[in-house]
Amino acid sequence: TAPRRRATGKMASPTRALWLRLRNMPVLRMLQLEEAIFRTDTRSWFITNTWDAPPTSAGPERDAAHAAAQSVVLGISGKPAEMLNTVEVLKAGVPVIKRFSGGGTIISDADTLFATFICAADDEPQVPPYPDPILDWTSSVYDAALRGCGATNFAVRANDYCFATEEGDFKFGGNAQSISGKRWLHHTSLLWDYEPARMGLLRMPKRQPTYRAQRSHGSFVRGLSQTLPSRDAFCASLAAAAGATWELTPVELEEAQAALSLPHRQVTRLLRPEEVC
């Protein structure tokens, strides 16, 4: 990312942001925390949430690791009946969450990595608080992170993060945003790997980007594990890329959780079974 310049032509100091590193935090709790921070705190934040890598061999331990982390997450306007195979979702006992941001539907488990940028008003004056400029800005960070791992075929297709290959474009990351005045949030779910059967809980969306070309979830999604050397290496590279863009100060969970006790609008919630049907 090129250094910012003030209107005077002088170099601007990098944005100072708090870096909250979460580990094994359930998705519902993570999203509720992000919503509270976005609505009550005026500072910039970089938030990551990763799960301990599940066992690679199939078996009870692997199943238990994914079960603890799995969830379906709908955007603020997402309708379960349109986005999900609801009978299968309820049968599988997968929690369904309505989040506070826009965007599409995701399904997550222990192989899903999360990263969120919350930008304070005027901290990035060269990024207008609108979806496309925000996506362009975050894309530059992910491009740097992937290049740090040796991947040079990163591409943005519609609102998705993809790998461009001779076989076609394959999605590995989904994005969602929330914008309030000059303040904005952009969070990304990144598939390190995925279970094809779990993807079957999602319906084929009526509206889909051209690059998908009516492919099934299993045919147009490709986990980062098929391209990158290790999840730890990628997480380290993403942190380095974010740190090259913002001046990051690590913060403990206790400080971040203070936002939860402040009055604020609360949209993120777990849907009841009768709301899923």
Side-chain angles (χ1 to χ4, degrees):
T1 302
R4 295 178 297 152
R5 291 183 180 273
R6 303 185 194 277
T8 60
K10 296 181 179 180
M11 290 295 181
S13 58
T15 292
R16 294 182 178 181
L18 300 177
W19 180 16
L20 178 62
R21 287 173 285 187
L22 304 174
R23 191 80 176 179
N24 298 329
M25 178 174 279
V27 175
L28 175 62
R29 186 180 172 202
M30 175 196 76
L31 289 169
Q32 289 172 330
L33 179 58
E34 289 184 358
E35 181 176 13
I37 291 172
F38 181 61
R39 297 195 191 282
T40 69
D41 195 286
T42 60
R43 297 169 292 182
S44 291
W45 292 72
F46 176 55
I47 303 172
T48 56
N49 186 23
T50 58
W51 286 78
D52 295 334
T56 55
S57 300
E61 291 184 358
R62 179 176 174 83
D63 292 343
H66 282 308
Q70 70 181 357
S71 62
V72 169
V73 185
L74 299 165
I76 192 170
S77 59
K79 295 178 175 58
E82 295 179 3
M83 309 304 296
L84 308 175
N85 290 314
T86 56
V87 173
E88 296 302 317
V89 169
L90 292 173
K91 182 179 178 181
V94 179
V96 179
I97 299 165
K98 176 68 68 79
R99 67 172 181 265
F100 66 98
S101 58
T105 302
I106 69 161
I107 189 160
S108 68
D109 58 23
D111 279 322
T112 308
L113 316 174
F114 296 94
T116 298
F117 291 94
I118 300 176
C119 187
D122 298 321
D123 265 3
E124 292 293 337
Q126 83 285 10
V127 183
Y130 299 102
D132 287 346
I134 295 170
L135 181 65
D136 289 344
W137 184 89
T138 58
S139 298
S140 68
V141 178
Y142 282 96
D143 186 34
L146 290 164
R147 287 179 181 276
C149 293
T152 59
N153 57 336
F154 171 71
V156 179
R157 299 289 183 260
N159 297 315
D160 299 334
Y161 290 159
C162 302
F163 286 124
T165 75
E166 293 181 355
E167 307 165 67
D169 299 326
F170 294 91
K171 176 180 178 178
F172 65 82
N175 300 291
Q177 299 175 346
S178 186
I179 301 171
S180 179
K182 294 183 178 180
R183 184 169 173 77
W184 52 262
L185 171 149
H186 180 105
H187 46 196
T188 302
S189 58
L190 301 142
L191 296 177
W192 178 253
D193 204 348
Y194 66 94
E195 298 282 341
R198 224 183 308 278
M199 286 292 175
L201 299 178
L202 304 178
R203 284 187 182 276
M204 179 76 79
K206 294 179 181 179
R207 296 178 59 187
Q208 53 182 272
T210 303
Y211 86 91
R212 179 167 178 167
Q214 298 295 320
R215 289 178 290 174
S216 67
H217 288 286
S219 298
F220 94 109
V221 171
R222 178 171 291 180
L224 291 165
S225 63
Q226 296 186 44
T227 301
L228 305 185
S230 77
R231 61 196 289 163
D232 287 344
F234 171 70
C235 290
S237 189
L238 177 58
T245 304
W246 281 357
E247 184 179 319
L248 300 177
T249 300
V251 63
E252 296 297 325
L253 177 59
E254 183 178 5
E255 179 177 345
Q257 286 182 319
L260 290 168
S261 62
L262 298 175
H264 64 280
R265 183 185 177 206
Q266 300 177 43
V267 173
T268 303
R269 64 187 181 90
L270 183 67
L271 297 186
R272 301 185 303 274
E274 58 268 27
E275 294 178 287
V276 175
C277 293

